């Protein structure tokens, strides 16, 4: 949840530099795979980049499409719901995020 909120305000690189040193030792101590943690962090940050009202990618899309932020915020809700379902799957079903690794 912290990474999802941080993704709304920070770009992905900055958020990863800040939160990875904090979460990696805790995740390792809890027995969570570093690859699984990385996938969950990236999916969280990707969702944060287009979450209203501060999502950076929303403003880029508004500039390209020449529409207001209110219009695009209404249209992004179904996509946001789908992304949250994917986030829940990646977070709680470990096989989904590490299926190609072994």
């Amino acid at each position: 949840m912290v990474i999802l909120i941080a993704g709304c305000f920070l770009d992905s690189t900055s958020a990863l530099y800040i939160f990875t040193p904090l979460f990696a030792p805790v995740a390792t101590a809890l027995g969570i795979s570093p690859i699984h943690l990385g996938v969950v962090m990236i999916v969280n940050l990707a969702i944060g980049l287009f979450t209203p009202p501060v999502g950076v990618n929303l403003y880029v899309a508004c500039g390209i499409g020449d529409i207001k932020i209110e219009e695009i915020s209404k249209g992004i809700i179904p996509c946001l719901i789908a992304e949250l379902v994917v986030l829940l799957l990646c977070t709680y079903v470990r096989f989904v995020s590490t299926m190609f690794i072994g």
Side-chain angles (χ1 to χ4, degrees):
M1 186 70 161
V2 173
I3 300 172
L4 186 64
I5 294 170
C8 294
F9 300 104
L10 297 170
D11 65 314
S12 298
T13 307
S14 300
L16 285 173
Y17 282 145
I18 293 169
F19 290 110
T20 302
L22 298 174
F23 291 137
V26 175
T28 306
L30 292 173
I32 299 170
S33 166
I35 295 170
H36 185 219
L37 175 68
V39 169
V40 170
M41 288 179 74
I42 294 298
V43 171
N44 269 296
L45 291 171
I47 294 171
L49 282 175
F50 69 87
T51 302
V54 189
V56 178
N57 286 354
L58 285 181
Y59 291 105
V60 172
C62 287
I64 292 172
D66 197 29
I67 58 175
K68 295 183 180 187
I69 191 77
E70 294 85 16
E71 294 175 42
I72 201 165
S73 294
K74 291 176 189 173
I76 202 77
I77 291 174
C79 185
L80 185 62
I81 292 170
E83 284 288 332
L84 290 174
V85 170
V86 170
L87 175 64
L88 289 173
L89 283 173
C90 286
T91 303
Y92 295 111
V93 183
R94 184 173 180 255
F95 175 74
V96 172
S97 61
T98 58
M99 74 173 75
F100 295 113
I101 295 173

